Amino acid sequence: MNQSLKTVLTATVAATALALPVAAETTIRLSTYVNEADVRYDGFQHFAELVAEKTGGSVEVQIFPSSTLHGWSEGVDALQGGVSDISWIPADERLPCYRVTSLYPAAIDLENQVEMDAAYAVLVRDEAANVGLVPLFNSNYSYDQEWWFEEALDDIGDLQGKQVRSIGPLVSMMIETWGGAPVFVAPKEVFQSAERGVVDGINMGVATYSSWQLWDVMPYMVNASLFYGNIQYMMNKAKFDGLTAEEQAALTEAAMETEIWLKPRYEDWVDQRVGLAVMKGGGAAVSISDEKRTELINSVQGKWNETVTEACGADLSGEILSLFDANAR
């Protein structure tokens, strides 16, 4: 082979190698209960794209929707056992402070939601580290955590023995305080439970409710806006610590940028789902008055604050409650 041909071939091989994508050195499995019809799935895709971009392809995020890796209550176990690397974290007793503050009775001003969520994540970070987890992604659902019934309800504060789907200890206490009976049902099982009369009412986020096409079985929505809600997605701490400092920064930055990117899209998508259900799907949506909202929150907040202090300790509970108060409307 003459020298000029060797030079051309060498240059061609080098250029081809540079053009090929970098093979991921680390794969991260992200588990979520949302399905692919949900706008939050778009958010996770955006997050994965940002991670690939920021790490130069050394880290790949694989998304597993619709609870395909584990059930609703198994987030901590899934992370500790290596079933997933990033998962949503429900109200788990191994995270006592997070358990009673990630859903809190308050009317929250969402203008500074991203900053508020970041501050909250810092406050629960040490508790998460104690069980081998690190908060990564705030999935705020304060905007859309609402209530549904088959028919119009005169007063959500008077449930008259109705069995209502609950997602955690706070909601159970609210339902009981208002004269109902809480029933825990995982998201994927709510449609069948409502259709078969296992529950008379549903507490759930509008996005999840719409994605699972639940307007058909319980079309009457009460827009109450009673919560700060943040189902955090946490990562296995050993997996996170095993990344380079640059990769850790890339994941953290990608999560924050995704939260900012997703917030307006999420709120618009929720509004569209409610509008479509009302206009075309036979649904109805009513909003309670500010006076009624304050009455309902006051009926549970004082008692719940005692639970928060017991679970978090005086100092941490004071910081978290001050954060909520500073962002109340």
Side-chain angles (χ1 to χ4, degrees):
M1 183 182 298
N2 62 49
Q3 187 63 34
S4 61
L5 181 56
K6 282 182 63 177
T7 302
V8 170
L9 288 174
T10 301
T12 303
V13 170
T16 303
L18 287 172
L20 290 173
V22 176
E25 298 172 7
T26 303
T27 300
I28 294 174
R29 292 159 296 172
L30 189 157
S31 173
T32 179
Y33 61 92
V34 305
N35 64 24
E36 294 173 81
D38 195 309
V39 69
R40 289 169 294 180
Y41 183 82
D42 297 342
F44 292 124
Q45 287 184 311
H46 186 73
F47 170 69
E49 291 165 3
L50 285 177
V51 170
E53 176 186 322
K54 290 176 180 292
T55 63
S58 68
V59 177
E60 178 190 9
V61 176
Q62 296 178 347
I63 307 164
F64 295 85
S66 304
S67 304
T68 50
L69 289 185
H70 60 83
W72 171 261
S73 301
E74 298 160 6
V76 174
D77 291 322
L79 290 175
Q80 290 180 338
V83 174
S84 60
D85 302 308
I86 300 172
S87 294
W88 79 89
I89 303 298
D92 195 290
E93 292 183 352
R94 286 163 288 188
L95 298 164
C97 187
Y98 169 83
R99 182 173 185 263
V100 300
T101 56
S102 57
L103 189 65
Y104 178 81
I108 294 295
D109 182 350
L110 294 176
E111 183 174 349
N112 296 314
Q113 171 201 308
V114 174
E115 294 83 359
M116 178 187 183
D117 290 345
Y120 176 76
V122 169
L123 291 173
V124 299
R125 193 176 187 89
D126 286 346
E127 181 178 77
N130 289 336
V131 292
L133 309 179
V134 57
L136 184 64
F137 190 100
N138 293 290
S139 182
N140 188 301
Y141 60 105
S142 306
Y143 188 76
D144 81 338
Q145 187 69 21
E146 301 302 353
W147 309 80
W148 283 264
F149 301 90
E150 189 172 355
E151 298 176 346
L153 189 71
D154 292 334
D155 182 3
I156 193 174
D158 182 18
L159 292 173
Q160 300 180 7
K162 292 184 184 297
Q163 292 187 307
V164 182
R165 186 253 181 176
S166 170
I167 65 166
L170 168 61
V171 177
S172 293
M173 190 198 77
M174 296 172 99
I175 293 167
E176 289 171 343
T177 299
W178 302 335
V183 181
F184 176 79
V185 182
K188 289 179 69 172
E189 300 166 4
V190 173
F191 187 99
Q192 293 89 341
S193 297
E195 195 174 41
R196 297 169 185 170
V198 175
V199 294
D200 305 305
I202 296 170
N203 170 257
M204 184 180 260
V206 178
T208 307
Y209 195 87
S210 299
S211 296
W212 292 109
Q213 301 180 354
L214 286 159
W215 286 97
D216 294 336
V217 290
M218 285 197 180
Y220 186 85
M221 171 182 151
V222 179
N223 178 22
S225 300
L226 300 175
F227 301 107
Y228 168 73
N230 183 1
I231 292 185
Q232 285 195 347
Y233 282 74
M234 297 191 187
M235 185 170 178
N236 178 288
K237 191 173 185 302
K239 184 92 173 187
F240 183 80
D241 291 344
L243 300 173
T244 66
E246 292 77 14
E247 289 171 338
Q248 291 177 2
L251 254 69
T252 303
E253 291 168 8
M256 174 64 80
E257 290 174 21
T258 298
E259 291 174 31
I260 295 169
W261 179 89
L262 183 59
K263 183 178 187 294
R265 291 168 173 80
Y266 174 68
E267 293 174 358
D268 287 348
W269 191 85
V270 167
D271 291 344
Q272 291 168 12
R273 298 287 82 71
V274 174
L276 286 171
V278 172
M279 289 187 296
K280 298 181 180 180
V286 298
S287 297
I288 65 174
S289 66
D290 290 341
E291 181 181 5
K292 185 63 178 179
R293 179 177 299 107
T294 300
E295 175 192 324
L296 291 170
I297 290 173
N298 287 344
S299 72
V300 296
Q301 191 180 77
K303 183 178 179 182
W304 194 249
N305 284 350
E306 296 175 8
T307 302
V308 171
T309 301
E310 181 180 353
C312 303
D315 292 342
L316 182 54
S317 65
E319 291 182 83
I320 291 176
L321 295 179
S322 293
L323 177 65
F324 292 152
D325 187 59
N327 288 274
R329 60 182 170 88

